[in-house]
Amino acid sequence: MRTPIRSAIPKRSAVLARASYRAYKAELRADFGSRCGYCDDLDSYSGGVRSYHIDHFAPKSLFSHLETEYTNLVYSCPYCNISKSDKWHGTDPTPSHNGQIGFIDPCQEEYDDHLTRLETGEIMGLTPLGRHLIKELSLSLIRHRLIWALQRLDEIQRSLLSMQEQIADDDPRYNELARVLMQVWREINIRRDRLNEAQ
């Protein structure tokens, strides 16, 4: 079964024009669901909003007229933004790729046609362009798999805690649920330690 690499396709809202692209950070964070547009990592795993970057999809160094154009901005983790840097395949902001090389705006549904996520959290390219994206955005970094695993474990933990609240202390299932919760909590801490070592 194919799993999209993102929990949702981000959608840019209509915002008032600003003099500086940095002034859009709050709106970008909201539009991208506090996640990197490229790898889907939650910003809370990388220092929060202060550590996240604003990527210029079509690089501002090549297309200065797009520097404050909201539709050209991507809420990005520092790893994807630094990996992408000023890379671009041509001398025009559109098209952004030729089917083999280039980039896909993460707000486009097409992004998910080229990438998938395995059960391990590893991001795989489904097409030559997808494999190019993995290379150029460093999507194969172990940190992306670890953050994906942490996000899944956090979801499981929240679900188990919700179940535990609904079970009485004297119910035999309570102790079993408490044991499973402890295992999930240990696994989360192991993954967080591995993530810290990978940084």
CSV table of all heavy atoms in Angstrom, one decimal, residues 144-165:
chain,number,residue,atom,x,y,z
A,144,HIS,N,14.4,12.2,9.4
A,144,HIS,CA,13.0,12.3,8.9
A,144,HIS,C,12.3,11.0,9.3
A,144,HIS,O,11.1,11.0,9.6
A,144,HIS,CB,13.0,12.5,7.4
A,144,HIS,CG,13.6,13.8,7.0
A,144,HIS,ND1,13.2,15.0,7.4
A,144,HIS,CD2,14.6,14.1,6.1
A,144,HIS,CE1,13.9,16.0,6.9
A,144,HIS,NE2,14.8,15.4,6.1
A,145,ARG,N,13.0,9.8,9.2
A,145,ARG,CA,12.4,8.6,9.7
A,145,ARG,C,12.1,8.6,11.1
A,145,ARG,O,11.0,8.1,11.6
A,145,ARG,CB,13.2,7.4,9.3
A,145,ARG,CG,13.2,7.1,7.8
A,145,ARG,CD,14.1,5.9,7.5
A,145,ARG,NE,15.5,6.3,7.7
A,145,ARG,CZ,16.5,5.7,7.2
A,145,ARG,NH1,16.3,4.5,6.7
A,145,ARG,NH2,17.7,6.2,7.4
A,146,LEU,N,13.0,9.1,11.9
A,146,LEU,CA,12.9,9.1,13.4
A,146,LEU,C,11.7,10.1,13.8
A,146,LEU,O,10.9,9.7,14.7
A,146,LEU,CB,14.2,9.6,14.0
A,146,LEU,CG,15.3,8.6,14.0
A,146,LEU,CD1,16.6,9.2,14.5
A,146,LEU,CD2,15.0,7.3,14.7
A,147,ILE,N,11.7,11.2,13.1
A,147,ILE,CA,10.6,12.2,13.5
A,147,ILE,C,9.2,11.6,13.1
A,147,ILE,O,8.3,11.7,13.8
A,147,ILE,CB,10.8,13.5,12.8
A,147,ILE,CG1,12.0,14.2,13.5
A,147,ILE,CG2,9.6,14.4,12.8
A,147,ILE,CD1,12.4,15.5,12.9
A,148,TRP,N,9.2,10.9,11.9
A,148,TRP,CA,7.9,10.2,11.5
A,148,TRP,C,7.5,9.2,12.6
A,148,TRP,O,6.4,9.1,13.0
A,148,TRP,CB,8.1,9.6,10.2
A,148,TRP,CG,6.9,8.9,9.7
A,148,TRP,CD1,5.9,9.4,9.0
A,148,TRP,CD2,6.6,7.5,9.8
A,148,TRP,NE1,4.9,8.4,8.7
A,148,TRP,CE2,5.4,7.3,9.2
A,148,TRP,CE3,7.3,6.4,10.4
A,148,TRP,CZ2,4.8,6.0,9.2
A,148,TRP,CZ3,6.7,5.2,10.4
A,148,TRP,CH2,5.5,5.0,9.8
A,149,ALA,N,8.5,8.4,13.0
A,149,ALA,CA,8.2,7.4,14.1
A,149,ALA,C,7.7,8.0,15.4
A,149,ALA,O,6.8,7.5,16.0
A,149,ALA,CB,9.4,6.5,14.3
A,150,LEU,N,8.4,9.1,15.7
A,150,LEU,CA,8.0,9.8,17.0
A,150,LEU,C,6.6,10.3,16.8
A,150,LEU,O,5.8,10.3,17.8
A,150,LEU,CB,8.9,11.0,17.3
A,150,LEU,CG,10.2,10.6,18.0
A,150,LEU,CD1,11.2,11.8,18.0
A,150,LEU,CD2,9.9,10.1,19.4
A,151,GLN,N,6.2,10.9,15.7
A,151,GLN,CA,4.9,11.4,15.5
A,151,GLN,C,3.9,10.3,15.6
A,151,GLN,O,2.8,10.5,16.2
A,151,GLN,CB,4.8,12.1,14.1
A,151,GLN,CG,5.6,13.4,14.0
A,151,GLN,CD,5.7,14.0,12.6
A,151,GLN,OE1,6.2,15.0,12.5
A,151,GLN,NE2,5.1,13.4,11.6
A,152,ARG,N,4.1,9.1,15.0
A,152,ARG,CA,3.2,8.0,15.1
A,152,ARG,C,3.1,7.5,16.6
A,152,ARG,O,2.0,7.2,17.1
A,152,ARG,CB,3.7,6.8,14.3
A,152,ARG,CG,3.9,7.0,12.8
A,152,ARG,CD,2.6,7.3,12.0
A,152,ARG,NE,2.1,8.6,12.0
A,152,ARG,CZ,2.7,9.7,11.4
A,152,ARG,NH1,3.8,9.7,10.8
A,152,ARG,NH2,2.1,10.9,11.5
A,153,LEU,N,4.2,7.4,17.3
A,153,LEU,CA,4.2,7.0,18.7
A,153,LEU,C,3.4,8.0,19.5
A,153,LEU,O,2.7,7.6,20.4
A,153,LEU,CB,5.6,6.8,19.2
A,153,LEU,CG,6.4,5.6,18.7
A,153,LEU,CD1,7.8,5.6,19.0
A,153,LEU,CD2,5.7,4.3,19.2
A,154,ASP,N,3.6,9.3,19.3
A,154,ASP,CA,2.9,10.3,20.0
A,154,ASP,C,1.4,10.1,19.8
A,154,ASP,O,0.6,10.3,20.8
A,154,ASP,CB,3.3,11.7,19.7
A,154,ASP,CG,4.6,12.1,20.3
A,154,ASP,OD1,5.0,11.5,21.3
A,154,ASP,OD2,5.3,13.1,19.8
A,155,GLU,N,1.0,9.8,18.6
A,155,GLU,CA,-0.4,9.6,18.3
A,155,GLU,C,-1.0,8.4,19.0
A,155,GLU,O,-2.1,8.4,19.6
A,155,GLU,CB,-0.6,9.4,16.8
A,155,GLU,CG,-0.4,10.7,16.0
A,155,GLU,CD,-0.3,10.4,14.5
A,155,GLU,OE1,-0.6,9.3,14.0
A,155,GLU,OE2,0.0,11.4,13.7
A,156,ILE,N,-0.2,7.3,19.0
A,156,ILE,CA,-0.6,6.1,19.7
A,156,ILE,C,-0.7,6.4,21.2
A,156,ILE,O,-1.7,6.0,21.9
A,156,ILE,CB,0.4,5.0,19.5
A,156,ILE,CG1,0.3,4.5,18.0
A,156,ILE,CG2,0.2,3.8,20.4
A,156,ILE,CD1,1.5,3.6,17.6
A,157,GLN,N,0.3,7.1,21.8
A,157,GLN,CA,0.2,7.4,23.2
A,157,GLN,C,-1.0,8.2,23.6
A,157,GLN,O,-1.7,7.9,24.6
A,157,GLN,CB,1.5,8.2,23.6
A,157,GLN,CG,1.6,8.4,25.1
A,157,GLN,CD,2.9,9.1,25.5
A,157,GLN,OE1,3.4,10.0,24.7
A,157,GLN,NE2,3.4,8.8,26.6
A,158,ARG,N,-1.4,9.2,22.8
A,158,ARG,CA,-2.6,10.0,23.0
A,158,ARG,C,-3.8,9.2,23.0
A,158,ARG,O,-4.7,9.3,23.8
A,158,ARG,CB,-2.7,11.2,22.0
A,158,ARG,CG,-1.8,12.4,22.3
A,158,ARG,CD,-2.1,13.6,21.5
A,158,ARG,NE,-1.9,13.4,20.1
A,158,ARG,CZ,-0.8,13.5,19.5
A,158,ARG,NH1,0.3,13.8,20.1
A,158,ARG,NH2,-0.7,13.3,18.1
A,159,SER,N,-3.9,8.2,22.0
A,159,SER,CA,-5.0,7.4,21.9
A,159,SER,C,-5.1,6.4,23.1
A,159,SER,O,-6.2,6.2,23.7
A,159,SER,CB,-4.9,6.5,20.6
A,159,SER,OG,-5.9,5.6,20.5
A,160,LEU,N,-4.0,5.9,23.5
A,160,LEU,CA,-4.0,5.0,24.7
A,160,LEU,C,-4.3,5.7,26.0
A,160,LEU,O,-5.1,5.2,26.8
A,160,LEU,CB,-2.6,4.3,24.9
A,160,LEU,CG,-2.2,3.3,23.8
A,160,LEU,CD1,-0.8,2.9,23.9
A,160,LEU,CD2,-3.1,2.1,23.9
A,161,LEU,N,-3.8,6.9,26.1
A,161,LEU,CA,-4.2,7.7,27.3
A,161,LEU,C,-5.7,8.0,27.3
A,161,LEU,O,-6.3,8.0,28.4
A,161,LEU,CB,-3.4,9.0,27.3
A,161,LEU,CG,-1.9,8.9,27.7
A,161,LEU,CD1,-1.2,10.2,27.5
A,161,LEU,CD2,-1.8,8.5,29.2
A,162,SER,N,-6.3,8.3,26.2
A,162,SER,CA,-7.7,8.5,26.1
A,162,SER,C,-8.5,7.3,26.5
A,162,SER,O,-9.4,7.3,27.2
A,162,SER,CB,-8.1,9.0,24.7
A,162,SER,OG,-9.5,9.1,24.5
A,163,MET,N,-8.0,6.1,26.0
A,163,MET,CA,-8.6,4.8,26.4
A,163,MET,C,-8.5,4.6,27.9
A,163,MET,O,-9.5,4.2,28.5
A,163,MET,CB,-8.0,3.7,25.6
A,163,MET,CG,-8.3,3.7,24.1
A,163,MET,SD,-7.4,2.5,23.2
A,163,MET,CE,-7.6,1.0,24.0
A,164,GLN,N,-7.3,4.9,28.4
A,164,GLN,CA,-7.1,4.6,29.9
A,164,GLN,C,-8.0,5.5,30.7
A,164,GLN,O,-8.5,5.0,31.8
A,164,GLN,CB,-5.6,4.9,30.2
A,164,GLN,CG,-5.3,4.5,31.6
A,164,GLN,CD,-3.8,4.8,31.9
A,164,GLN,OE1,-3.3,5.8,31.4
A,164,GLN,NE2,-3.2,4.0,32.7
A,165,GLU,N,-8.3,6.7,30.3
A,165,GLU,CA,-9.2,7.6,31.0
A,165,GLU,C,-10.6,7.0,31.1
A,165,GLU,O,-11.4,7.3,32.0
A,165,GLU,CB,-9.3,9.0,30.4
A,165,GLU,CG,-8.0,9.7,30.6
A,165,GLU,CD,-8.0,11.1,29.9
A,165,GLU,OE1,-9.0,11.4,29.2
A,165,GLU,OE2,-6.9,11.8,29.9
